Amino acid sequence: MIYFCVTVYHYFLRSEVPRVYHNQRLNRSRVKFLVLMILALVVVQALNYVLVRTGITHEAENQIELMKLMKTATVPMVLLTVLGAPPVEEFIFRGLLMHAFPHQATVRWRWLAGVVSVVAFATAHTMPTDFWNWLLYAGMGAVFTATYAYTKDIRYDIGLHFLNNLVATFLP
């Protein structure tokens, strides 16, 4: 799956004119932005904790199922959740979906692609009828989308997604 996603993603990048997205060096402005995005993910996770603990919403169904699977197959599920899901999801929702829109050099198209990416990411994790959980996943998707849009390099949002899943996997 990862190989397929990477292959299609690189096809999109090669056909992009002008070239907007590609490997970018880590510099001071990207580090500052990544720190802000880490803080944004902390806020989303803290909000999730508060909403669940106060009974405003329940734990998301996919999270409940994931935790059940973690109990029966801990190591494979940790590997899948922490190492497998971030690159696959980022290549699908940011790398492929966002590049399926034409004219990546046009800000309006990038905004539309970003909104579609956020909505698709949230809906893939929980249904919009589960409003609060959907909104929380949309918040996470917005952080990953903003990271990709700002850095113009998918490696940074994969790393951020990896960090998010790693922390979320080991939190109570």
Side-chain angles (χ1 to χ4, degrees):
M1 180 70 158
I2 293 174
Y3 176 77
F4 172 75
C5 291
V6 170
T7 302
V8 175
Y9 174 69
H10 283 292
Y11 168 78
F12 280 139
L13 292 187
R14 280 192 306 278
S15 63
E16 190 177 75
V17 177
R19 193 167 177 220
V20 177
Y21 293 88
H22 52 86
N23 289 352
Q24 302 283 341
R25 294 190 101 133
L26 187 61
N27 60 23
R28 182 172 293 195
S29 69
R30 285 190 187 89
V31 168
K32 287 179 184 177
F33 187 82
L34 289 171
V35 168
L36 284 174
M37 294 299 97
I38 289 169
L39 292 174
L41 283 174
V42 168
V43 168
V44 170
Q45 293 293 358
L47 187 57
N48 178 52
Y49 179 82
V50 169
L51 290 174
V52 169
R53 296 306 174 249
T54 58
I56 294 172
T57 191
H58 55 84
E59 192 76 53
E61 281 301 315
N62 73 322
Q63 196 66 24
I64 292 169
E65 293 303 317
L66 189 61
M67 296 318 282
K68 284 181 192 174
L69 288 169
M70 287 274 192
K71 290 178 181 171
T72 60
T74 306
V75 173
M77 286 308 298
V78 167
L79 291 173
L80 183 65
T81 304
V82 175
L83 297 178
V88 169
E89 289 184 2
E90 291 310 311
F91 276 115
I92 290 171
F93 295 110
R94 261 54 73 187
L96 303 182
L97 186 58
M98 286 179 68
H99 288 280
F101 286 80
H103 313 296
Q104 284 298 311
T106 306
V107 173
R108 206 171 344 151
W109 277 106
R110 284 200 313 262
W111 269 99
L112 178 61
V115 168
V116 169
S117 173
V118 168
V119 169
F121 180 81
T123 304
H125 286 84
T126 191
M127 296 308 296
T129 53
D130 186 3
F131 178 74
W132 290 109
N133 283 310
W134 189 90
L135 201 58
L136 292 164
Y137 278 110
M140 280 187 267
V143 169
F144 300 139
T145 299
T147 300
Y148 185 54
Y150 182 83
T151 65
K152 310 274 189 280
D153 187 339
I154 201 161
R155 297 175 304 170
Y156 296 111
D157 51 297
I158 289 172
L160 202 56
H161 199 147
F162 165 80
L163 180 64
N164 180 74
N165 286 15
L166 179 69
V167 171
T169 298
F170 295 106
L171 286 178

